[in-house]
Structure formats: C-alpha cells, structure tokens
Amino acid sequence: MPFINSVINWINFKRIYQIDLFKKHPFDVQLEVFFNLLEEARDTEFGKQYDFKSIRSEQEFKERVPIRYYEDFAPYIERLRQGEKNLLWPGEIKWFAKSSGTTNDKSKFIPVSKQSLEDVHYRGAKDVFALYLKNNPDSGVLFGKTLTLGGSQQVNNFSNKSYYGDLSAILIENTPFWAEFIRTPSVQVALLEEFEEKIARIIDEALDENVTSLAGVPSWFLVLLNRILQHTGKSSILDIWPNLEVFIHGGINFDPYREQYQKIIPSSAMNYMETYNASEGFFAIQDDPDSSDMLLMLDYGVYYEFIPMENLHDENPKTLSLAEVELDKNYALVISTNGGLWRYIIGDTIQFTSKKPFKIKITGRTKHFINAFGEEMIVDNAEQALKIATERTRSIVKEYTAGPVFMKDDQKGAHEWIIEFEQKPEDLDYFMEVLDDSLKTLNSDYEAKRHKNLTLEKPHLLVAKPNLFYEWMKQRGKVGGQNKIPRLANNRQYLDELKELQEKI
C-alpha cells in the first residue's frame, strides 16, 4: 500500500502542477485547446464545410461557424448513430449519452468520442480526487470504496455500430476491470434499469463495504441513504460507514439538501465537493472547501464562449471569450468539444465569481425561469430566497417547483409554489412573506412587478404531500440518474400535473 500511495501522490502532484499552470495562463491554455480542436477536426465533414483549415483566429471561427442548439445537430447525430464516420469528429463515434431534452421532454443523444471519454469525463473524475487530496493530505478516502448511484438506463444498441445510455452507464461500461476494487455497487447492479430494484440491490451489496466516499446527484442519493437508514434501523449513516468522509455531488444545487444531509451524516468532518459534469462534458470542480464556487477546467478539450443572457435570443447573438467576461453577470454557456459539438448552447446559465482564477457558479437553465410578467426570475433567485426563508423559519425544504398563475378578469398574476417540506415551518404565511421579501431584494424586476400588488399579487403556496415529487418523477419515467426536478417554468404544465397527482395520493 505505501508504494501505491507514493505512485498516486506523484501522479496527483504532477496534475496539480498542470492545474496551477492553466490558472496562471488561462487565455494561452484556451487558445491552445481551440487550435487543437480545429486541427483535429479539419478533415471531418463539418471541418471541411466551414474550412477549419483556413481559420486563423477565434473571431474568424465565430464569424464562420453559427451557434447551434441540439436540434441543429440532430441530423448529424442520426447519421452517426447509423455508423457513419468523420462527420463532426475524426473516426467513429460508438457511444451516445442519453440526456433529457428541453423540447417536449424528448431525449437528446450526445455523442461521446474516445477523446471526450478519456480527456474530459475520466480526467475530470481523476481531478476531483487530485484536488480533494491536495486539500485533505491526511485523507483515507483511497483506502475504501466510492458508492455511486448512476443512471437507471441500460446501455442499448442503436444498431450493431453504436450504443446509448445514461452518461454514468457509459462511464461504467468503459472503466477498466480494476475499478471494481474501488467502487460499489457491482457493474450489474449499477446498470439496473428499475430504480427501486437498484436501491434494494445496492443495500444488499454495499452495507458491508468500507465506503469512504459517495458520488452522485443529491436528490436521488438522499432517497438511497434514507432507505438504508430505514433498512438498518440506524439514525446516522456514520453508524454504517464510520470512515465516510466526502460526498462528491453535482447535477443540481446542493444548498436545498444540505440540512437534510447534515441530519443523517452528523459530522463536522464530513466534506461536500461540488462538480459540474454533464453529458456534454466535465466543466468545473470545487477546489476550495470553504467556497462553493467551482474552478473552470480549461485544459480538457473544451473551448468556452459565453452569451450575455440579454442577448441570448438575438438573431446572431454575440459571444464573449474568457478574456471578456464580467463578474456576477448571467451567461449562457457555449462549448466546442472533442466530442464533436461546435458552438453548442448547452442550456445552462452561469456566473463568474472570480477571474483570477476563473471560477463559476451555475445559476439555472436557459429554459427554466419565470418571466410571464417581465419579472425575469431565475433558479438562482429562487434557491437564494428559499435558503433565507428556511433559515429564518427553521424549516427544511425537501423539493419544490414554481410557475405562473396567469391573470384572469377577476385575478391578478402571481407565482405559485409547490413545496414539499422535510421540516415544515410553524407559520406558513410568515415563510411565504420572507420568501417574497427575499425575492424582491434579490431581483429588482420581481420587486417592481410586486410593488403595491400592481402586476403580481403575493405568491401562492401548495404544501405537497410526502413523496409527491418522487411519485411525479416516477410517473414521468424520470427517476434516478441525471434526471432533475424542474425548479421553475414559464408555464403551468408541471404545476398542473403535480396538483392533479396531489389529489390522487
């Protein structure tokens, strides 16, 4: 074991040096990534169409290659799925990460090349541990196993040439055999499609393991951990895994779940580490345990551009380079990758919290907001306001969603919130008053619309029955994996579905 530790420490030391390098020289590193991508893809069908060979600058690239959404790539992806080669990236694309779509809940199939698998997704996972060990040199995390709760989607065949599944399933399928020694559950259980069966089998396999870390989406992991406590009759996860020391999480904002985790893992020594990992790539990692901001990873084969949110719906929105961004402004993320995505709008919105080095926080989705009355409310507003309201009322929110109540002849507009509480506030009216006031403080557009109830009246609240959101996601076939409960919507689809289900259960 000392020899293995020495090798790991040497590898980590080398990688930390490289990370420090891109922190000091971000623009040079991104420029190198940019030209490497063009060079690699110059002889693909896409590269020839836009004559990558002759592009000499980032500006020329922006002028020549249009910004694209998934729908614009769909014809290429359909051909790739049938086994065509050299379309968006050199060679054959065998793997496609199935991801929930934003249009009518259709699925997207994101191409995953060999390079993106190795140089983005796996590299990101390795860097998580490198950064964690840098901050926790006395850690025993590598002496135990990582408990993962991945997607509930099996790997399936499109044809004899290509396969699709949740990103987590693809990563599990492609990891080397030795990964079994450091991860639980087994591949067979990890790839089970039925979420309830998977949880039962994980409990069977993992209880006797020395689990030192957890990795997954906070909402679904909470379901698993609570089931484990019910099964064992214990009140703390540390009674089952005393050496547990870190939860590596991503996919959704952790803040609404923090108190629930602190209740079942009651230890000030427990660490929580946020990552920004999507089907399209691995983008950022929390590198400072005292701050939830994430370091933008600049040397993974991903070239970044940013659209100011006020320009997102322009006919040809102007993008900013890393050198042009400002702090605390909302940007839509645009990426070009070694998976063959070119100037692709991923659908997430971010803010920069630091430029030396470049650090970000995720503020929401480009299509998840409420702007039915010009209030321009984003997910980050909702999360911050809920945090203030729960702290002020000593309550815990388990899940929530919100949307508009549209004006009628006898009714003004409003926002309606459906909230499932882990710990309900004593005074629901006061909770909503604090939530409303906090939103006014955080969002001047919302405050203007709420002024004297002229446009928006005070928000409405429906307290959800226990497990309403879980049952709703189950009904929609979206349990587990990277499926996320939509927090905000500019229409009433989710609200009406939840209210209908609330009456049935």
Side-chain angles (χ1 to χ4, degrees), residues 69 306-314 317-320 328-334 345 347-351 363-369 371 376-379:
Y69 288 91
F306 310 91
I307 303 175
M309 280 304 290
E310 61 268 25
N311 302 123
L312 180 61
H313 299 295
D314 294 354
K318 182 192 173 189
T319 64
L320 305 180
D328 304 320
K329 278 196 72 171
N330 253 356
Y331 295 106
L333 189 60
V334 180
I345 296 181
D348 291 328
T349 61
I350 63 154
Q351 282 183 8
T363 54
R365 298 280 295 167
T366 56
K367 297 191 179 182
H368 287 188
F369 56 84
N371 194 29
E376 297 188 17
M377 192 169 105
I378 62 172
V379 174

Side-chain angles (χ1 to χ4, degrees), residues 368 370 382 386 397 399-403 415-420 460-462 468-469 472 485-489 491 494-496 498:
H368 287 188
I370 308 177
L386 275 172
V397 168
E399 299 292 357
Y400 77 92
T401 195
H415 288 175
E416 182 169 14
W417 293 73
I418 299 179
I419 300 178
E420 186 179 328
H460 304 182
L461 170 66
L462 173 67
L468 175 68
F469 282 89
W472 178 57
I485 290 167
R487 297 309 192 191
L488 303 179
N491 56 55
Y494 303 137
L495 292 174
D496 291 342
L498 282 160

Side-chain angles (χ1 to χ4, degrees), residues 476-498:
R476 298 167 73 222
K478 291 186 175 293
V479 171
Q482 292 180 309
N483 293 303
K484 302 164 194 171
I485 290 167
R487 297 309 192 191
L488 303 179
N490 209 32
N491 56 55
R492 290 194 55 82
Q493 179 192 341
Y494 303 137
L495 292 174
D496 291 342
E497 287 176 5
L498 282 160

Side-chain angles (χ1 to χ4, degrees), residues 38-181:
L38 292 185
E39 179 62 29
E40 286 270 348
R42 61 191 286 180
D43 294 323
T44 61
E45 183 177 303
F46 194 90
K48 287 175 180 174
Q49 181 183 348
Y50 293 102
D51 195 13
F52 281 6
K53 209 178 285 189
S54 68
I55 292 176
R56 295 288 177 266
S57 69
E58 293 164 286
Q59 188 56 39
E60 206 173 339
F61 176 67
K62 292 177 182 183
E63 289 167 2
R64 196 177 296 182
V65 181
I67 284 171
R68 280 176 162 79
Y69 288 91
Y70 178 79
E71 291 72 22
D72 302 308
F73 277 111
Y76 286 102
I77 290 169
E78 182 58 38
R79 290 168 60 195
L80 286 169
R81 283 165 48 176
Q82 300 309 317
E84 285 195 52
K85 300 178 183 179
N86 301 316
L87 298 182
L88 298 170
W89 190 252
E92 190 176 30
I93 306 282
K94 285 189 173 182
W95 296 96
F96 295 84
K98 186 182 180 187
S99 171
S100 294
T102 50
T103 309
N104 301 323
D105 282 341
K106 289 178 182 172
S107 291
K108 299 185 289 185
F109 295 96
I110 306 300
V112 181
S113 68
K114 284 181 184 174
Q115 287 92 334
S116 63
L117 203 58
E118 290 294 334
D119 298 342
V120 182
H121 294 293
Y122 287 142
R123 194 173 191 183
K126 291 172 191 169
D127 281 354
V128 167
F129 282 101
L131 288 164
Y132 179 74
L133 291 170
K134 179 196 172 195
N135 292 325
N136 300 276
D138 297 326
S139 164
V141 72
L142 298 180
F143 293 100
K145 290 192 175 185
T146 301
L147 173 61
T148 59
L149 180 60
S152 53
Q153 175 62 57
Q154 286 272 14
V155 169
N156 293 289
N157 286 59
F158 277 128
S159 64
N160 293 328
K161 306 259 182 167
S162 61
Y163 311 88
Y164 70 92
D166 281 329
L167 175 66
S168 54
I170 290 172
L171 296 178
I172 287 167
E173 279 281 351
N174 286 277
T175 47
F177 74 93
W178 51 260
E180 285 290 289
F181 300 117

